[in-house]
Amino acid sequence: MPGLLFSPVCLTVIWFLSWSLCPSCAQIWTDEVSGEQYGRLESNVTLACNNSEIRLPVSWHLSHSAVLPWHQVTPNGSLVLLRVNHSAQGTYSCYDNSGRLLRSIKLRLGHPPGRLTISCQVPNHTHVRCSWVETVKTFLPAEYNASFSNGKEWSPCIVDVTQKHCDVVHPAFWQPIHTLRITETNALGSKNTTASVKLHELLKPDPPESVLVKELGGYPKKLLISWRFPSSWPQHDAFPLIFHIRYRPQGSMFWSEIYSLDNSVVIWDALAGHLHQVQVRTRDEINAESQWSEWSPLLLGRPWEDYTTPEPDVEPEDIFTLPTKSKPEASTPKSRGSKHGDEGNLGLVILLVLFSVVILTTIFSLIFVVWMRQRRRDHATKQELTSMVKMKSIPI
């Protein structure tokens, strides 16, 4: 009897009864995504019902919905989606006439990779970091592979996929030009992007750190500015830095600038009693083609000030004075002052009189000149009239 239970006929009957009595239970076992398919946006995408070319009528559903995008079904039951867009993404299920699930496919749409925009930062002689930005948004997960060449051999560039950058350690800095190659790959294809990198031109240190502005006791026009090398810069005599310091009184539009090879400098021409704005930046001293770092954050500092308090004034009532007689000499300073004031007023009056005389003389001279010209014109007119009369009186 146990062998009868496991005979093919008995198993078929048991499967048929279980499916007919509980069809939903059968779908629980088979309603799983049997595959994932990728398609290109704005193109036609074909979804096959199963691997065999069946001729049975089938029906397609999108995410358990009967509404499908613009489509057509081929004779072998494949679903062709026409000019798909993002709304066509989802899980497609293929059923036969009896409602049995034949296949379930998850469709994801996007674009193949395009060219990348690459930029590199060189904070010191031992480290290169290159990042990239997609020029084509693919909407699909991608993998990146990067390599760095000094013209002779390729070395890996360690990729951080989440941040989309890669790092090169100890590059061959003496080589003038390097090549970076990045390959982006997704389900629809791959694309290589190469870029030439000139390390000596891209060398740009990080800004100086721990910048401080201090006063110098007893010096109201001096400020002490100190800083530390960037922590990313190797502390070695082979890589010296030059520092650029700028400062100005708060509210001024013009900066004063000085340069230093040390990590501190004294300002000698600060404006006494005023706050000053200070910033520092740095650059590789030997490589003149390198770039200046960004400016350090703006700091404020004030020169030393003398805060000694003046002696209190003595109240008038505390002073004991002896009674004295008034003397006529007490009015002497006032009389002298009034005398000087009168002399000043007299000089001003004389200047005004002379100025008036000059003005009047100029006016009378102009009037005389105009009168003389008018008189000459009148005389000439009379002569012309006389000659005309004589001409008329002559017999013809």
Side-chain angles (χ1 to χ4, degrees), residues 3-160:
L4 182 61
L5 291 176
F6 293 98
S7 63
V9 177
C10 186
L11 289 175
T12 303
V13 172
I14 293 173
W15 174 84
F16 177 77
L17 291 175
S18 62
W19 186 85
S20 61
L21 294 175
C22 185
S24 61
C25 297
Q27 186 162 337
I28 292 175
W29 287 96
T30 58
D31 194 6
E32 296 178 357
V33 177
S34 57
E36 192 171 40
Q37 185 170 333
Y38 294 88
R40 183 180 297 190
L41 287 167
E42 303 300 328
S43 65
N44 298 339
V45 177
T46 301
L47 303 177
C49 187
N50 59 15
N51 296 329
S52 61
E53 296 184 1
I54 61 173
R55 297 289 179 175
L56 298 176
V58 297
S59 61
W60 285 90
H61 298 273
L62 170 59
S63 299
H64 305 287
S65 172
V67 180
L68 292 175
W70 188 29
H71 69 283
Q72 64 183 20
V73 180
T74 62
N76 64 353
S78 296
L79 176 66
V80 180
L81 302 175
L82 307 175
R83 304 288 296 175
V84 293
N85 55 30
H86 285 289
S87 63
Q89 292 188 121
T91 302
Y92 288 82
S93 302
C94 174
Y95 298 88
D96 61 10
N97 286 340
S98 61
R100 183 169 62 91
L101 178 63
L102 301 177
R103 192 181 184 192
S104 183
I105 307 170
K106 183 178 181 180
L107 178 63
R108 299 187 65 174
L109 300 172
H111 295 286
R115 185 173 180 82
L116 302 174
T117 301
I118 301 174
S119 61
C120 295
Q121 296 80 39
V122 186
N124 56 54
H125 294 81
T126 62
H127 181 209
V128 179
R129 170 167 290 181
C130 295
S131 57
W132 56 86
V133 178
E134 299 174 349
T135 59
V136 177
K137 190 170 181 60
T138 63
F139 303 102
L140 298 175
E143 294 181 354
Y144 299 93
N145 183 26
S147 54
F148 199 75
S149 172
N150 59 7
K152 296 181 180 180
E153 57 183 2
W154 290 91
S155 58
C157 188
I158 303 172
V159 175
D160 185 338

Side-chain angles (χ1 to χ4, degrees), residues 161-174:
V161 178
T162 57
Q163 300 296 326
K164 293 185 179 180
H165 67 236
C166 70
D167 296 278
V168 179
V169 182
H170 297 291
F173 221 92
W174 57 88

Side-chain angles (χ1 to χ4, degrees), residues 54-356:
I54 61 173
R55 297 289 179 175
L56 298 176
V58 297
S59 61
W60 285 90
H61 298 273
L62 170 59
S63 299
H64 305 287
S65 172
V67 180
L68 292 175
W70 188 29
H71 69 283
Q72 64 183 20
V73 180
T74 62
N76 64 353
S78 296
L79 176 66
V80 180
L81 302 175
L82 307 175
R83 304 288 296 175
V84 293
N85 55 30
H86 285 289
S87 63
Q89 292 188 121
T91 302
Y92 288 82
S93 302
C94 174
Y95 298 88
D96 61 10
N97 286 340
S98 61
R100 183 169 62 91
L101 178 63
L102 301 177
R103 192 181 184 192
S104 183
I105 307 170
K106 183 178 181 180
L107 178 63
R108 299 187 65 174
L109 300 172
H111 295 286
R115 185 173 180 82
L116 302 174
T117 301
I118 301 174
S119 61
C120 295
Q121 296 80 39
V122 186
N124 56 54
H125 294 81
T126 62
H127 181 209
V128 179
R129 170 167 290 181
C130 295
S131 57
W132 56 86
V133 178
E134 299 174 349
T135 59
V136 177
K137 190 170 181 60
T138 63
F139 303 102
L140 298 175
E143 294 181 354
Y144 299 93
N145 183 26
S147 54
F148 199 75
S149 172
N150 59 7
K152 296 181 180 180
E153 57 183 2
W154 290 91
S155 58
C157 188
I158 303 172
V159 175
D160 185 338
V161 178
T162 57
Q163 300 296 326
K164 293 185 179 180
H165 67 236
C166 70
D167 296 278
V168 179
V169 182
H170 297 291
F173 221 92
W174 57 88
Q175 294 290 340
I177 299 178
H178 295 71
T179 302
L180 175 67
R181 181 177 62 200
I182 302 176
T183 303
E184 180 184 6
T185 305
N186 66 16
L188 299 180
S190 63
K191 178 70 175 180
N192 291 328
T193 304
T194 59
S196 296
V197 182
K198 297 181 179 180
L199 298 182
H200 60 286
E201 294 181 0
L202 294 176
L203 180 60
K204 181 180 180 179
D206 292 328
E209 301 175 358
S210 303
V211 182
L212 296 176
V213 182
K214 296 181 180 179
E215 63 179 33
L216 289 176
Y219 297 95
K221 292 186 177 181
K222 292 184 180 181
L223 281 173
L224 174 63
I225 304 173
S226 62
W227 56 88
R228 294 176 57 186
F229 277 55
S231 58
S232 59
W233 192 264
Q235 302 293 320
H236 196 280
D237 294 338
F239 308 109
L241 289 173
I242 185 172
F243 297 93
H244 180 195
I245 304 97
R246 68 178 184 180
Y247 59 95
R248 65 182 178 184
Q250 189 174 24
S252 174
M253 296 177 57
F254 305 100
W255 293 94
S256 299
E257 299 178 337
I258 53 177
Y259 296 86
S260 175
L261 297 176
D262 299 324
N263 58 351
S264 65
V265 71
V266 175
I267 295 176
W268 295 77
D269 57 350
L271 191 60
H274 287 76
L275 276 174
H276 287 68
Q277 298 175 335
V278 178
Q279 286 182 301
V280 186
R281 64 177 182 174
T282 187
R283 193 195 72 185
D284 186 277
E285 181 192 4
I286 299 175
N287 182 7
E289 295 182 343
S290 63
Q291 302 179 34
W292 283 101
S293 72
E294 299 296 330
W295 287 103
S296 63
L298 195 67
L299 288 181
L300 296 177
R302 187 191 300 272
W304 174 84
E305 292 181 279
D306 188 4
Y307 293 103
T308 56
T309 56
E311 296 181 359
D313 297 333
V314 181
E315 296 294 336
E317 57 269 15
D318 296 337
I319 302 176
F320 178 74
T321 56
L322 295 173
T324 57
K325 295 182 179 180
S326 60
K327 296 181 180 180
E329 287 80 8
S331 60
T332 302
K334 294 184 179 180
S335 62
R336 289 180 181 177
S338 62
K339 184 177 181 180
H340 287 297
D342 294 338
E343 290 177 358
N345 293 334
L346 180 60
L348 181 61
V349 170
I350 294 173
L351 288 175
L352 290 175
V353 170
L354 291 175
F355 183 75
S356 301

